[in-house]
Amino acid sequence: MARDETARDSPDDGLLNRRSYLKFAGATAAAFAATGAANAKEYRTITVPAGETKSITVGDGETFENVLIDMTADGASALVRTSGSGWTIRNVGFKGIHPGGHYLLNPGVSSPEGTGLIENVYMGDGQVAGSDSGGVWVNANLPHRGTIKFRNVHVAGMIDNGLYGSGPGAQGYGGNLHVESSYFKGNTISNVRLNAKARPCKVTNTVVDTRGNKPCRIGCSAPGSTTTRAVWSWYGETHLRNCDIVGSIATAKGGSVTKTDVRTGDQADLTPPKGVPMSAKQAASGAGGSSGNRKQAMKQKQAKAQGLPNVLSISSSDGSTVTNYEFEVTGKVRKSTERGGSKSKEDTIESGTVSGAVAGGTDSYQFAGTLTTFSLDGNATIFLNGKRVTPGKLGLPKTLVIDGSQSDGESMYSFDVGGSVVKDDDHGSINSFDTISGTKVKGRVIDGKDAYRFSGDLKRIELDGGAKAWVRVGGTK
């Protein structure tokens, strides 16, 4: 059993309505269930008084698990240390903003052949801007000589490194670490900082997003700096595999990086890997503890085989904010588990029209035909067929109307567009004389209107008769 004690001194070193509110509740519950709530365990809560630091030591062969550490009181914080080898830290959630002054987690393995496991841990509530120290500091003073595995770990908003693991190498020790299926967001100086002087370090199936980090004070080259790295390799080899990264991949003191199936910049999928806890409560209950690699390509092939070749995913990493969405497609559409999507009953599908909400989770859909409209109220990351897209460019945002209601006789027309085009029966008639062939359209109007929704540019239009034509973009003539 882990030992703990209280210490005051830090250690060394626009669519929101009642329907949307109900959807938020449902989406949150669904996201909880999707990450393993069926296997959720009882957990205990350690409440830290204001201005105090709770010090917890996990010794040789011990397991510290299913604990929520409540640091929400003013100036309250916690520190979890390890000693010896063969220890495990599992299902632990740090709730509340870290005031700084020490790291939340100081792990180390003393035996060169020993191991330690840190699994399903949440440190995502952030840290006070300008404070010192940060999330995890691998204990170079132990010293760390063995191997630590981090799995399903969520570290966000820390100031003096998210995961700081290069210290043992600086002191000449060979202890290394591996990171699996984890999520790092907006940590200053570095998000993942690795020691690999004697043995390689591996980072697999992990998402790192450097954006949104806060300025630091102590530990930075200049007070107020927001300089950060996604991955920073010191002294030896770091191997990145199946990772999505926004930010720099840097080296120092002879460090090196090899990359296999690593997506960066606009190509990165910033959805947290399946199993990463998105709240302290989720971590403590063990609901986010199951790891699993994303298999996007395979799922897309399966969707195509089922006659639903397209996949749309709406992802939110903020569990405290509701994002509502609505879209229409011309073919069939159904819910999907792509990108860890949940199948919440609160989201509705009616005759090709879909409406739903996400909050700290993902909704995905397989569909056939064309995505004609898409609207979003809130912040979310959108992926269409595996690629990140801008919400405002989705669907068919432009409408071409050919109006013959005020003219005599027949008017013939034809036009070409640069993207997709479909008939718009909300603003015009539908008859067999009008034809669409790819991006080319031909038709006629007699005392009426024809309308089409399209994307891209209107490349050509020819009009023979007294009808008039105009284009609306986003509902504006």
Side-chain angles (χ1 to χ4, degrees):
M1 179 178 291
R3 303 181 297 276
D4 61 355
E5 61 181 356
T6 300
R8 289 183 178 275
D9 297 328
S10 60
D12 292 339
D13 214 24
L15 294 172
L16 192 58
N17 50 30
R18 186 175 185 275
R19 175 183 68 83
S20 301
Y21 175 79
L22 294 175
K23 285 181 180 296
F24 169 60
T28 302
F32 192 78
T35 52
N39 299 317
K41 301 176 177 64
E42 295 291 333
Y43 63 88
R44 65 188 177 103
T45 299
I46 297 175
T47 301
V48 186
E52 296 189 3
T53 296
K54 189 74 172 179
S55 182
I56 300 165
T57 300
V58 184
D60 190 80
E62 293 183 341
T63 296
F64 180 62
E65 63 182 351
N66 297 108
V67 177
L68 188 151
I69 303 173
D70 188 340
M71 313 185 311
T72 55
D74 187 29
S77 192
L79 167 66
V80 179
R81 298 187 184 97
T82 71
S83 64
S85 304
W87 48 259
T88 297
I89 297 172
R90 178 189 293 122
N91 302 342
V92 176
F94 293 83
K95 181 180 180 181
I97 298 175
H98 178 31
H102 60 86
Y103 290 87
L104 294 176
L105 190 58
N106 279 178
V109 175
S110 57
S111 170
E113 305 303 321
T115 61
L117 174 63
I118 297 172
E119 180 177 44
N120 202 47
V121 172
Y122 177 84
M123 290 180 278
D125 287 350
Q127 181 176 340
V128 174
S131 59
D132 60 303
S133 301
V136 182
W137 182 69
V138 176
N139 195 341
N141 298 326
L142 183 62
H144 170 57
R145 293 189 175 96
T147 298
I148 303 173
K149 181 177 289 186
F150 295 82
R151 179 190 297 144
N152 293 126
V153 172
H154 183 156
V155 184
M158 297 298 161
I159 304 301
D160 189 353
N161 294 273
L163 169 53
Y164 190 165
S166 61
Q171 297 189 25
Y173 299 109
N176 67 339
L177 60 91
H178 303 306
V179 180
E180 298 178 359
S181 301
S182 294
Y183 180 65
F184 296 84
K185 165 69 175 173
N187 299 289
T188 302
I189 299 183
S190 70
N191 286 261
V192 182
R193 180 169 175 167
L194 300 157
N195 161 62
K197 192 163 189 176
R199 292 173 288 186
C201 293
K202 299 176 183 178
V203 181
T204 59
N205 193 42
T206 290
V207 173
V208 184
D209 182 1
T210 61
R211 297 173 302 175
N213 63 314
K214 299 176 182 177
C216 67
R217 183 170 58 89
I218 299 173
C220 282
S221 58
S225 171
T226 56
T227 298
T228 189
R229 296 91 175 165
V231 177
W232 205 4
S233 177
W234 289 60
Y235 308 112
E237 299 175 44
T238 296
H239 300 302
L240 305 181
R241 181 181 294 273
N242 190 31
C243 294
D244 293 88
I245 295 172
V246 170
S248 66
I249 299 172
T251 60
K253 304 293 184 180
S256 65
V257 175
T258 63
K259 294 178 286 185
T260 304
D261 192 22
V262 174
R263 297 159 293 278
T264 60
D266 291 340
Q267 300 302 311
D269 173 0
L270 299 181
T271 308
K274 183 180 179 181
V276 171
M278 301 307 293
S279 69
K281 182 177 179 180
Q282 195 178 69
S285 68
S290 60
S291 62
N293 292 333
R294 289 161 291 173
K295 299 179 180 179
Q296 300 162 358
M298 182 184 72
K299 290 181 179 179
Q300 288 175 7
K301 288 181 181 179
Q302 292 173 343
K304 290 180 180 179
Q306 296 164 356
L308 301 171
N310 304 303
V311 178
L312 178 69
S313 298
I314 304 100
S315 297
S316 165
S317 60
D318 185 354
S320 65
T321 303
V322 183
T323 294
N324 293 273
Y325 61 85
E326 187 169 289
F327 65 90
E328 296 179 71
V329 299
T330 58
K332 294 181 179 180
V333 58
R334 73 180 186 187
K335 267 283 194 175
S336 168
T337 57
E338 179 79 9
R339 297 183 182 275
S342 65
K343 290 192 174 182
S344 171
K345 294 181 180 179
E346 299 296 333
D347 304 321
T348 62
I349 301 175
E350 296 181 2
S351 302
T353 299
V354 177
S355 61
V358 290
T362 296
D363 284 351
S364 292
Y365 300 86
Q366 296 171 296
F367 69 94
T370 301
L371 179 66
T372 58
T373 66
F374 183 88
S375 61
L376 188 72
D377 183 12
N379 295 315
T381 303
I382 314 300
F383 297 92
L384 179 61
N385 295 333
K387 295 182 178 180
R388 186 178 178 181
V389 293
T390 302
K393 295 182 179 179
L394 278 177
L396 306 177
K398 302 173 184 177
T399 302
L400 173 63
V401 178
I402 297 95
D403 186 358
S405 60
Q406 303 299 318
S407 64
D408 295 328
E410 176 183 85
S411 294
M412 307 292 292
Y413 62 85
S414 66
F415 64 90
D416 300 344
V417 299
S420 299
V421 58
V422 298
K423 260 284 192 176
D424 182 359
D425 57 356
D426 289 336
H427 297 94
S429 64
I430 293 181
N431 59 73
S432 59
F433 192 87
D434 305 327
T435 62
I436 299 175
S437 178
T439 61
K440 299 180 182 297
V441 179
K442 292 182 179 180
R444 71 177 180 184
V445 289
I446 304 174
D447 298 327
K449 296 179 182 179
D450 282 352
Y452 299 84
R453 296 186 64 88
F454 69 97
S455 60
D457 296 327
L458 180 61
K459 292 187 172 183
R460 178 191 65 87
I461 184 168
E462 295 182 7
L463 189 59
D464 183 10
K468 298 180 180 179
W470 62 81
V471 173
R472 292 189 179 100
V473 179
T476 302
K477 181 174 175 179

